[in-house]
Amino acid sequence: ALDSDIQKKIDYEIRMREGTCKLLGACSQRDQALEAAKSLLTCNARILAYMSELQRMKEAQILQRAARRPSDADPLDERLPCKGKVAISDLRIPLMWKDTEYFKNKGELHRYAVFCLLQLGGEIHDTDMVMVDRTMTDICFDSTIVFNEAEPGFELRVELYSCCTEDESSTGGAPRKLASRLGSSLGRSSGRKVRTGLESPGGGSPVGNGGGTPLLLSVPSTPGPKYHLLAHTSLTLAHVQDGFRTHDLSITGNEECSYWLPLYGSMCCRLVAQPRCMTDQMMSGRLTVKVRGQLDGAENVYGVLKGTNLFCYHREEDVDAKVEPAFTIAINKETRIRATEKEPCSKAQSISISNRYGGEEVTHTVAVESREDAQRWMEAFWQQFYDMSQWKQCCDDLMKIEMPSPRKPTPTVAKQGSLYHEMTKPLPVQSCEGLLLQDNAVSSEVRALLSSYYSDR
């Protein structure tokens, strides 16, 4: 019933879009209209993503029903890598203003509303909206965005959208005000015709609230701000690193566009991944462990395979109690594992685990009660090795996903050097100078109005 769940998501986003369109048409404040237009673009993007996912599922079902003989299936293709979390944070985009604009503060002061749309598979998130002008050297997005169902072959697309707040359409009520002014200027009869044309569906701003992306479903024409795609990039597993890195941006548009911002051409962020083989218990059970060459007898333990270790506890209860394990056995890319013959006059089956510590090879012999248990443990070990081979550097050490602390008022600080002067050296994670974040009250108001709208339906 996965397709049913996706259909429910599509229906929900369509209802959200309808409510956002009504809200956008009623907005009289610029900031509220900008937030509503941002929500509309995000809804449209999610609808398209869900519909694409639904289409892929239907195609897979057709292929599955088409012609399937048991001999056609390749057993090697049945093993799939585990999924995991991918998190992007500390997103910073440097700006490259002209000397006369930034240092001499000459020319008109334009303000732009910008935000990022991030998509991984069928999952789409957006950042907070940030107001930008020439007093800033870079754009900062403080939020940490986590995708929970990523595969090692993921592609994370990051899109930067911009809207000049001085545009005529930046306020939802602008066409209505224009119609009113024209009505009083042209007289009652002529003014009524103009007003009817401007206020009728299709008489407002053209549809295209999303950088010209074609929509598969008809969208009512709505007045208000129009965001445009300013830049984009795609990040993959190769870009994952437990640190702050710089990535190239593909820039769209030019200086003639109203939404244009002088981007440096790079984006800085922290991109980390946590595959489930590093965070979850992949296998557990009673084991009897003996180190080859040691005179001491075997030790009965409760083993837990997780990450790059087989943790061995005295008791099963110690796992939930967070008690330190009695000892650990490394399970990594260099580990060699093989099943051994069962001992005569015994049902116990053994598994040999060999690692090199320093320059010395250490082999642990792990005994289980039956051949079936041995097969389950061997399968768990092989799956762990396969996951490590697919997630690569993400399985060297567990990367940490840092969630930001609750936002506090940003204190006024003295101006410092521009971010793009520091692009060649590692960039510390810090607040952008002079960053003016949009008041949360605007987003809260939009969400509250939409929630109220749907609770009455």
Side-chain angles (χ1 to χ4, degrees), residues 268-341:
C268 309
C269 68
R270 183 172 180 264
L271 182 68
V272 300
Q274 288 184 349
R276 285 180 187 154
C277 63
M278 294 292 289
T279 58
D280 297 357
Q281 293 185 21
M282 308 309 288
M283 184 68 181
S284 61
R286 302 300 309 182
L287 302 171
T288 302
V289 182
K290 183 178 181 179
V291 179
R292 182 181 298 170
Q294 289 187 1
L295 298 177
D296 296 341
E299 188 168 356
N300 293 319
V301 297
Y302 185 81
V304 173
L305 177 61
K306 178 181 176 182
T308 57
N309 286 292
L310 174 61
F311 297 98
C312 298
Y313 297 87
H314 289 302
R315 300 175 307 165
E316 182 177 350
E317 304 82 61
D318 293 346
V319 180
D320 294 330
K322 307 295 183 185
V323 176
E324 285 292 318
F327 59 93
T328 61
I329 303 173
I331 305 293
N332 54 45
K333 299 168 186 175
E334 307 301 322
T335 304
R336 290 185 298 112
I337 294 180
R338 63 185 179 87
T340 58
E341 294 297 326

Side-chain angles (χ1 to χ4, degrees), residues 37 40-42 44 159 161 207-215 226-229:
L40 181 60
L41 191 150
T42 305
N44 288 337
E159 297 179 339
Y161 287 90
V207 178
N209 205 19
T213 304
L215 297 182
K226 297 292 179 289
Y227 284 96
H228 300 270
L229 180 63

Side-chain angles (χ1 to χ4, degrees), residues 2-7 9-10 45-61 83 119-124 149 151 216:
L2 284 174
D3 51 354
S4 175
D5 292 339
I6 295 175
Q7 188 61 57
K9 290 180 180 179
I10 293 174
R46 283 179 177 151
I47 291 171
L48 284 172
Y50 293 150
M51 292 183 75
S52 297
E53 191 173 350
L54 193 61
Q55 182 68 25
R56 283 194 299 270
M57 290 179 63
K58 291 185 181 300
E59 289 174 357
Q61 289 172 357
K83 294 185 178 182
Q119 177 174 1
L120 194 157
E123 199 172 352
I124 292 179
E149 296 295 323
E151 297 178 352
L216 301 181

Side-chain angles (χ1 to χ4, degrees), residues 61-75:
Q61 289 172 357
I62 292 172
L63 287 174
Q64 195 173 8
R65 289 195 300 263
R68 273 288 192 270
R69 294 193 304 271
S71 58
D72 290 341
D74 187 348

Side-chain angles (χ1 to χ4, degrees), residues 258-269:
S258 63
Y259 57 89
W260 171 255
L261 277 169
L263 302 182
Y264 189 84
S266 297
M267 177 190 81
C268 309
C269 68

Side-chain angles (χ1 to χ4, degrees), residues 387-426:
D387 291 339
M388 289 178 179
S389 71
Q390 298 300 300
W391 282 99
K392 299 179 180 178
Q393 74 274 18
C394 304
C395 294
D396 292 339
D397 293 294
L398 179 62
M399 298 181 181
K400 187 178 180 183
I401 296 178
E402 297 178 354
M403 302 303 292
S405 56
R407 186 180 298 160
K408 297 178 181 178
T410 307
T412 304
V413 295
K415 283 196 173 185
Q416 302 169 358
S418 301
L419 174 60
Y420 51 80
H421 293 316
E422 306 173 17
M423 294 294 286
T424 56
K425 55 187 178 181

